[in-house]
Structure formats: structure tokens, C-alpha cells
Coordinates of all heavy atoms in Angstrom, one line a residue:
Y1 N -1.5 -6.9 4.8 CA -2.7 -7.7 5.1 C -2.8 -8.9 4.1 O -3.8 -9.5 4.1 CB -4.0 -6.8 5.0 CG -4.1 -5.9 6.2 CD1 -3.5 -4.7 6.2 CD2 -4.7 -6.4 7.4 CE1 -3.6 -3.9 7.4 CE2 -4.7 -5.6 8.5 CZ -4.2 -4.4 8.5 OH -4.3 -3.6 9.6
E2 N -1.7 -9.1 3.4 CA -1.6 -10.3 2.5 C -2.8 -10.4 1.6 O -3.4 -11.5 1.4 CB -1.4 -11.5 3.3 CG -0.1 -11.5 4.1 CD 0.2 -12.7 4.9 OE1 -0.8 -13.5 5.2 OE2 1.3 -13.0 5.3
L3 N -3.2 -9.3 1.0 CA -4.4 -9.2 0.1 C -4.2 -10.0 -1.2 O -5.2 -10.1 -1.9 CB -4.8 -7.8 -0.1 CG -5.2 -7.0 1.2 CD1 -5.7 -5.6 0.8 CD2 -6.3 -7.8 1.9
E4 N -3.0 -10.4 -1.5 CA -2.8 -11.2 -2.7 C -3.4 -12.6 -2.6 O -3.6 -13.3 -3.5 CB -1.4 -11.3 -3.1 CG -0.5 -12.2 -2.3 CD 0.0 -11.6 -1.0 OE1 -0.2 -10.4 -0.8 OE2 0.5 -12.4 -0.1
K5 N -3.8 -13.0 -1.3 CA -4.3 -14.3 -1.0 C -5.8 -14.4 -1.0 O -6.3 -15.5 -1.0 CB -3.8 -14.8 0.3 CG -2.3 -15.0 0.4 CD -1.8 -15.4 1.7 CE -0.3 -15.6 1.8 NZ 0.2 -16.0 3.1
I6 N -6.5 -13.3 -1.1 CA -8.0 -13.3 -1.0 C -8.5 -12.4 -2.1 O -7.8 -11.5 -2.6 CB -8.5 -12.9 0.3 CG1 -8.1 -11.4 0.7 CG2 -8.1 -13.8 1.4 CD1 -8.7 -10.9 1.9
P7 N -9.8 -12.6 -2.5 CA -10.4 -11.7 -3.5 C -10.5 -10.3 -3.0 O -10.7 -10.1 -1.8 CB -11.8 -12.3 -3.7 CG -11.7 -13.7 -3.3 CD -10.7 -13.7 -2.2
V8 N -10.3 -9.3 -3.9 CA -10.3 -7.9 -3.5 C -11.2 -7.1 -4.4 O -11.2 -7.3 -5.7 CB -8.8 -7.4 -3.6 CG1 -8.8 -5.9 -3.4 CG2 -7.9 -8.1 -2.7
L9 N -11.9 -6.2 -3.9 CA -12.6 -5.1 -4.6 C -12.1 -3.8 -4.1 O -12.2 -3.5 -2.9 CB -14.1 -5.3 -4.4 CG -15.0 -4.2 -5.1 CD1 -15.0 -4.4 -6.6 CD2 -16.4 -4.3 -4.6
F10 N -11.5 -3.0 -4.9 CA -10.9 -1.8 -4.5 C -11.4 -0.6 -5.4 O -11.3 -0.7 -6.6 CB -9.4 -1.9 -4.7 CG -8.5 -0.7 -4.3 CD1 -8.9 0.0 -3.2 CD2 -7.4 -0.4 -5.0 CE1 -8.1 1.1 -2.8 CE2 -6.6 0.7 -4.6 CZ -7.0 1.5 -3.5
S11 N -12.1 0.3 -4.8 CA -12.7 1.4 -5.6 C -12.5 2.8 -4.9 O -12.0 2.8 -3.8 CB -14.2 1.2 -5.7 OG -14.8 1.2 -4.4
G12 N -12.8 3.8 -5.6 CA -12.7 5.1 -5.0 C -12.5 6.2 -6.0 O -12.5 6.0 -7.3
D13 N -12.3 7.4 -5.5 CA -12.0 8.6 -6.3 C -10.5 8.7 -6.3 O -9.8 9.1 -5.4 CB -12.6 9.8 -5.6 CG -12.4 11.1 -6.4 OD1 -11.5 11.1 -7.3 OD2 -13.0 12.1 -6.1
F14 N -9.9 8.3 -7.5 CA -8.4 8.2 -7.6 C -7.9 9.6 -8.1 O -6.7 9.7 -8.1 CB -8.0 7.1 -8.5 CG -8.3 5.7 -7.8 CD1 -9.5 5.1 -7.9 CD2 -7.3 5.1 -7.1 CE1 -9.7 3.9 -7.3 CE2 -7.5 3.9 -6.4 CZ -8.7 3.3 -6.6
N15 N -8.8 10.5 -8.6 CA -8.3 11.8 -9.1 C -7.2 11.6 -10.1 O -6.4 12.5 -10.3 CB -7.9 12.7 -8.0 CG -9.0 13.4 -7.3 OD1 -9.9 13.9 -7.9 ND2 -9.0 13.3 -6.0
D16 N -7.3 10.5 -10.9 CA -6.2 10.2 -11.9 C -6.9 10.2 -13.3 O -7.0 9.1 -13.9 CB -5.6 8.9 -11.5 CG -4.4 8.6 -12.3 OD1 -3.8 9.5 -12.9 OD2 -4.0 7.4 -12.4
W17 N -7.3 11.3 -13.7 CA -8.0 11.4 -15.0 C -7.2 11.0 -16.2 O -7.7 10.6 -17.2 CB -8.6 12.8 -15.2 CG -7.6 13.9 -15.1 CD1 -6.9 14.5 -16.1 CD2 -7.3 14.6 -13.9 NE1 -6.1 15.4 -15.6 CE2 -6.3 15.6 -14.3 CE3 -7.7 14.5 -12.6 CZ2 -5.7 16.4 -13.3 CZ3 -7.1 15.4 -11.7 CH2 -6.1 16.3 -12.0
R18 N -5.9 11.0 -16.1 CA -5.0 10.6 -17.2 C -4.6 9.1 -17.0 O -3.9 8.6 -17.8 CB -3.8 11.4 -17.3 CG -4.1 12.9 -17.7 CD -2.9 13.7 -18.0 NE -1.9 13.5 -16.9 CZ -1.4 14.5 -16.2 NH1 -1.7 15.7 -16.4 NH2 -0.5 14.2 -15.2
N19 N -5.0 8.5 -15.9 CA -4.6 7.1 -15.6 C -3.1 6.9 -15.6 O -2.6 5.9 -16.0 CB -5.3 6.1 -16.5 CG -5.3 4.7 -15.9 OD1 -5.1 4.5 -14.7 ND2 -5.4 3.7 -16.7
S20 N -2.4 7.9 -15.1 CA -0.9 7.9 -15.1 C -0.3 7.0 -14.0 O 0.8 6.6 -14.1 CB -0.4 9.3 -15.0 OG -0.8 9.9 -13.7
L21 N -1.1 6.8 -13.0 CA -0.6 6.0 -11.9 C -0.6 4.5 -12.2 O 0.1 3.7 -11.6 CB -1.5 6.2 -10.6 CG -1.4 7.6 -10.0 CD1 -2.4 7.8 -8.9 CD2 0.0 8.0 -9.6
Q22 N -1.5 4.1 -13.1 CA -1.6 2.6 -13.5 C -1.7 1.8 -12.2 O -1.0 0.8 -12.0 CB -0.4 2.2 -14.3 CG -0.2 2.9 -15.6 CD -1.3 2.5 -16.6 OE1 -1.5 1.3 -16.8 NE2 -2.0 3.4 -17.2
I23 N -2.7 2.2 -11.3 CA -2.9 1.5 -10.0 C -3.2 0.0 -10.2 O -2.6 -0.8 -9.5 CB -3.9 2.2 -9.2 CG1 -3.4 3.6 -8.9 CG2 -4.3 1.5 -8.0 CD1 -4.5 4.5 -8.3
G24 N -4.0 -0.3 -11.1 CA -4.4 -1.7 -11.3 C -3.1 -2.6 -11.6 O -2.9 -3.6 -11.0
K25 N -2.3 -2.1 -12.5 CA -1.1 -2.8 -12.9 C -0.1 -2.9 -11.6 O 0.5 -3.9 -11.4 CB -0.4 -2.2 -14.0 CG -1.1 -2.4 -15.3 CD -0.3 -1.7 -16.5 CE -1.0 -1.9 -17.8 NZ -0.3 -1.3 -18.9
Q26 N 0.0 -1.8 -10.9 CA 0.9 -1.8 -9.8 C 0.5 -2.8 -8.7 O 1.3 -3.3 -8.0 CB 1.0 -0.4 -9.2 CG 1.7 0.6 -10.0 CD 2.0 1.9 -9.2 OE1 2.6 1.8 -8.1 NE2 1.7 3.0 -9.8
L27 N -0.8 -3.0 -8.6 CA -1.3 -3.9 -7.5 C -1.8 -5.2 -8.0 O -2.3 -6.0 -7.2 CB -2.5 -3.2 -6.8 CG -2.1 -1.9 -6.1 CD1 -3.4 -1.2 -5.5 CD2 -1.1 -2.1 -4.9
G28 N -1.6 -5.5 -9.3 CA -2.1 -6.8 -9.9 C -3.6 -6.9 -9.9 O -4.1 -8.0 -9.7
L29 N -4.3 -5.9 -10.2 CA -5.8 -5.9 -10.2 C -6.3 -5.6 -11.6 O -5.6 -4.9 -12.4 CB -6.3 -4.8 -9.2 CG -5.8 -4.8 -7.8 CD1 -6.3 -3.6 -7.1 CD2 -6.3 -6.1 -7.1
K30 N -7.4 -6.2 -11.9 CA -8.1 -5.9 -13.1 C -9.0 -4.7 -12.9 O -9.4 -4.4 -11.8 CB -9.0 -7.1 -13.5 CG -8.2 -8.3 -13.8 CD -9.2 -9.4 -14.2 CE -8.4 -10.7 -14.4 NZ -9.3 -11.9 -14.7
E31 N -9.2 -3.9 -14.0 CA -10.0 -2.7 -13.8 C -11.4 -2.9 -14.5 O -11.5 -3.4 -15.6 CB -9.3 -1.5 -14.5 CG -10.1 -0.2 -14.4 CD -9.3 1.0 -14.9 OE1 -8.3 0.8 -15.5 OE2 -9.8 2.1 -14.7
V32 N -12.4 -2.5 -13.8 CA -13.8 -2.5 -14.4 C -13.7 -1.3 -15.4 O -13.2 -0.2 -15.1 CB -14.8 -2.2 -13.3 CG1 -16.2 -2.0 -14.0 CG2 -14.9 -3.3 -12.3
P33 N -14.2 -1.5 -16.6 CA -14.1 -0.4 -17.6 C -14.6 0.9 -17.0 O -15.8 1.0 -16.6 CB -14.9 -0.9 -18.8 CG -14.9 -2.4 -18.7 CD -14.8 -2.7 -17.2
P34 N -13.8 1.9 -17.0 CA -14.2 3.2 -16.3 C -15.2 4.0 -17.2 O -15.2 3.9 -18.4 CB -12.9 4.0 -16.2 CG -12.0 3.5 -17.2 CD -12.4 2.0 -17.5
L35 N -16.0 4.7 -16.5 CA -17.0 5.6 -17.1 C -16.7 7.0 -16.6 O -16.2 7.2 -15.5 CB -18.4 5.2 -16.7 CG -18.8 3.8 -17.2 CD1 -20.2 3.4 -16.5 CD2 -19.0 3.8 -18.7
P36 N -17.0 8.0 -17.4 CA -16.8 9.4 -17.0 C -17.6 9.7 -15.7 O -18.7 9.3 -15.6 CB -17.4 10.2 -18.2 CG -17.3 9.3 -19.4 CD -17.6 7.9 -18.8
S37 N -16.9 10.4 -14.8 CA -17.5 10.7 -13.5 C -17.3 12.1 -13.1 O -17.8 12.5 -12.0 CB -17.0 9.7 -12.5 OG -15.6 9.8 -12.3
F38 N -16.6 12.9 -13.9 CA -16.3 14.3 -13.5 C -16.4 15.2 -14.7 O -15.9 14.8 -15.8 CB -15.0 14.4 -12.9 CG -14.6 15.8 -12.4 CD1 -15.1 16.3 -11.2 CD2 -13.9 16.7 -13.2 CE1 -14.8 17.6 -10.8 CE2 -13.6 18.0 -12.8 CZ -14.1 18.4 -11.6

């Protein structure tokens, strides 16, 4: 969907409490500072 060309807001339950996936880095996104949720 060529999402690198438009602004993106991507959120959800990533179930990645250790942040091992580094999703933001993989997709070129900035992360809103996370807060505890579980």
C-alpha cells in the first residue's frame, strides 16, 4: 500500500513485552513512549 509515502499511525496489542521485535525500527516508525498495559 506504499505506506512510506503517507503519514501512518500504527497501534495495537503487540504482545511484545520485551520489545524483541523492534517493530518501529523494522518499519521506519517512531514509537510513542510506551506505558505499562498488562
Side-chain angles (χ1 to χ4, degrees):
Y1 287 91
E2 300 180 339
L3 296 183
E4 74 280 350
K5 296 179 180 179
I6 61 173
V8 173
L9 179 67
F10 183 37
S11 65
D13 182 345
F14 292 88
N15 279 314
D16 188 22
W17 53 91
R18 295 188 312 237
N19 199 21
S20 62
L21 297 175
Q22 298 289 309
I23 293 168
K25 288 182 183 178
Q26 289 194 52
L27 297 173
L29 304 172
K30 296 178 183 177
E31 182 175 9
V32 174
L35 296 169
S37 57
F38 181 84

